[in-house]
Amino acid sequence: MAQRGADVAIIGGGIIGMSCAYELARQGGAHVVLFDKQNPASGTTGGSAGVICLHDMGEIYAYLTLLGFERIQRLRREHGFGFTPWGSLSVVYDPGEFPPPPDEYELRFGGGPESIYHHVALDREDLLRRYPWINPDGVLGGVLYPNQGFIDPYELVELYEGLALETGRVEVHRNTPVLQVRTDGDRITTLVTRRGPWAVEKVLNAGGPWGAKIAALAGSELDLAPQRIQVCVATAFDDGVEEAPLTGLPESVDGEGVWCRGELGGTLLFGQHHHTTRPGFTVDPDCVNRVNDPEYPRAVERVYRRYWHLPRSVFLNGWCCVYGTTEDGFPIVSRDARLSNFYHAVGMNGHGMTIHAGIAQCVAELLLRDGTSLDLSGPLGRPERLDFSVLDAGRFARGELLDFELRTRESARRSQAGEGG
Ligand SMILES: Cc1cc2nc3c(=O)[nH]c(=O)nc-3n(C[C@H](O)[C@H](O)[C@H](O)COP(=O)(O)OP(=O)(O)OC[C@H]3O[C@@H](n4cnc5c(N)ncnc54)[C@H](O)[C@@H]3O)c2cc1C
């Protein structure tokens, strides 16, 4: 039997792998094969809350968010893709400042009424009338971002799969784990899957929380931690709640941030979130307790009941996921440190749905043109570029971690040196 082959093999069919398959096929003439060991979207993506919102943690996230938001709008316009625009709400409690002053991100990246930054200030009365389950104690007002909302992650992956297949250059193999990576010198030559070998020119690791395990198959190391994340659900329909925006609280649950958003059907979802790798959360994604800790829904309930009035709602065990984090909270999007035709797009932690399209465009730049910067003049309407070379896999070993400052150290250095960007 002749060995099958592809120009690019993608390992992982979550939102990152599938959107990269589409982007690579759209931008180039490459033959792409994607393998998922289960079904597409059955990893982190399937457990995601799917919120498309601001992730203002440095300019890289801001840029990637703009690209993601732009893509979702395009998919809505051109393919009737579903988006539920229930917004994001930031409640201001005493002694905060209401209305809050404009922030630096908005000044730099905000646009008109269609922008993801567009917002309206709701005074206390307005806010409590609109969202009567918010406990009025200490509330000064709120800021609602009405263009934000959520999508169905399965629908998004399915749409990308359809668009990728339509190009005629992409094959998707489900239930096909990659089990071995064969190398010759500094190159990967063959992927051995459950259904036989594939000769490959380039390989993209889009394995989400499995990313380090996939790298290990090729003998490489990746500074990526799979972290266990719990979600619980409140029966808010029992209190007449029909739609609720994404919100958070000024308090954590056992030291961990917890977001909340309304779900279709009148429930509320609550989930853990941390940007960076935290001790005590790392698990093996193939062997993780998928049942929430029995006390978790009670812990969320205790905190939320102090801020919200939901007397009849019951807090239930939801589901448990794993996402991949890094030490500095930024993704890894780069060529492997050892193997010249091996690339990684992992470590999206709690932001992968929003930033997926930006990541896929970075991947296309990297694999198709060996580039490390992206043109942002489309979403920004002015000449500006995203330099994503700082997301390289080697930064951890070099001790060059990124931070959540608005300007990355690299861009501050370049502007000081008069290099632009
Ligand atoms: C509870 C929760 C809520 C979230 N909410 C949001 C949100 O509101 N907004 C947002 O932007 N982001 C959110 N996220 C984050 C987002 O869901 C993730 O960043 C994103 O889904 C990661 O996608 P991925 O494609 O990198 O990984 P995955 O979806 O995990 O895909 C990796 C795939 O690789 C496959 N695979 C692994 N090993 C192999 C192998 N050896 N061979 C073949 N295939 C393999 C797996 O089967 C899997 O399908 C949330 C995450 C969680 C857990």
Side-chain angles (χ1 to χ4, degrees):
M1 188 182 76
Q3 183 164 307
R4 291 158 299 177
D7 300 315
V8 180
I10 299 177
I11 308 176
I15 186 57
I16 298 300
M18 204 60 90
S19 57
C20 287
Y22 163 71
E23 201 64 45
L24 289 164
R26 184 173 81 97
Q27 290 194 25
H31 171 209
V32 179
V33 62
L34 180 148
F35 302 108
D36 198 289
K37 68 177 182 173
Q38 309 165 82
N39 269 314
S42 57
T44 311
T45 298
S48 176
V51 177
I52 307 298
C53 61
L54 292 171
H55 298 270
D56 282 346
M57 299 172 308
E59 63 184 7
I60 293 177
Y61 271 115
Y63 288 141
L64 293 172
T65 298
L66 290 176
L67 291 167
F69 183 69
E70 183 189 51
R71 173 63 58 80
I72 294 293
Q73 302 314 316
R74 179 159 81 73
L75 296 178
R76 289 175 75 187
R77 275 194 314 275
E78 294 178 7
H79 302 282
F81 175 65
F83 176 76
T84 309
W86 286 356
S88 291
L89 176 70
S90 166
V91 181
V92 181
Y93 290 92
D94 192 32
E97 184 181 347
F98 181 81
D103 75 7
E104 282 183 88
Y105 286 92
E106 185 192 334
L107 293 172
R108 192 163 152 199
F109 303 110
E114 308 295 316
S115 148
I116 190 171
Y117 284 89
H118 174 63
H119 58 269
V120 285
L122 303 175
D123 63 24
R124 178 185 152 90
E125 206 178 301
D126 226 5
L127 178 82
L128 298 174
R129 195 175 39 243
R130 265 174 107 140
Y131 306 114
W133 65 91
I134 295 178
N135 179 344
D137 295 349
V139 170
L140 299 178
V143 181
L144 179 70
Y145 293 81
N147 295 339
Q148 301 179 22
F150 62 90
I151 51 100
D152 175 342
Y154 286 96
E155 188 189 343
L156 186 58
V157 171
E158 203 178 304
L159 174 57
Y160 274 121
E161 181 173 359
L163 294 174
L165 295 177
E166 258 174 35
T167 66
R169 292 190 286 276
V170 178
E171 288 180 56
V172 174
H173 294 264
R174 340 168 99 71
N175 294 317
T176 307
V178 172
L179 302 169
Q180 189 190 37
V181 176
R182 295 187 177 166
T183 57
D184 182 7
D186 75 341
R187 289 183 65 76
I188 294 177
T189 55
T190 309
L191 296 185
V192 178
T193 75
R194 162 185 167 167
R195 296 186 170 82
W198 281 74
V200 290
E201 288 300 320
K202 293 180 180 175
V203 177
L204 175 68
N205 172 7
W210 289 269
K213 287 182 119 175
I214 290 168
L217 289 177
S220 290
E221 278 181 26
L222 214 49
D223 286 283
L224 179 81
Q227 302 239 299
R228 182 169 176 261
I229 298 292
Q230 305 183 69
V231 176
C232 66
V233 180
T235 62
F237 54 83
D238 285 329
D239 286 299
V241 175
E242 284 177 8
E243 63 174 68
L246 175 75
T247 53
L249 290 184
E251 235 182 273
S252 65
V253 175
D254 299 333
E256 191 66 2
V258 174
W259 49 264
C260 169
R261 80 153 167 88
E263 178 60 296
L264 298 170
T267 58
L268 289 174
L269 310 182
F270 302 82
Q272 289 179 317
H273 178 68
H274 49 251
H275 305 305
T276 55
T277 299
R278 292 195 54 181
F281 287 83
T282 300
V283 289
D284 180 338
D286 288 308
C287 176
V288 57
N289 181 0
R290 296 266 169 198
V291 180
N292 284 341
D293 300 339
E295 67 278 10
Y296 184 66
R298 296 288 83 74
V300 172
E301 177 177 1
R302 262 195 310 277
V303 174
Y304 266 90
R305 282 208 192 281
R306 280 207 286 282
Y307 292 87
W308 291 4
H309 181 66
L310 293 169
R312 284 197 269 262
S313 302
V314 184
F315 283 67
L316 303 170
N317 205 336
W319 59 91
C320 200
C321 303
V322 183
Y323 61 45
T325 59
T326 58
E327 220 183 308
D328 61 10
F330 285 84
I332 297 169
V333 184
S334 80
R335 194 193 293 266
D336 184 65
R338 291 176 44 251
L339 296 166
S340 63
N341 61 344
F342 191 27
Y343 301 83
H344 307 285
V346 294
M348 310 298 151
N349 64 63
H351 312 296
M353 302 310 303
T354 300
I355 66 174
H356 76 277
I359 297 291
Q361 288 171 56
C362 293
V363 164
E365 199 56 42
L366 197 57
L367 269 73
L368 300 178
R369 292 176 285 279
D370 210 14
T372 52
S373 85
L374 271 192
D375 179 13
L376 292 157
S377 52
L380 282 173
R382 59 176 182 263
E384 204 157 318
R385 296 192 76 81
L386 159 60
D387 172 6
F388 63 89
S389 63
V390 290
L391 300 179
D392 80 304
R395 69 184 188 268
F396 307 98
R398 295 193 306 273
E400 291 173 6
L401 301 196
L402 299 169
D403 57 40
F404 293 142
E405 292 300 314
L406 178 53
R407 292 179 76 79
T408 60
R409 285 184 204 136
E410 175 61 13
S411 96
R413 184 197 67 72
R414 284 159 61 89
S415 96
Q416 262 174 9
E419 292 170 32

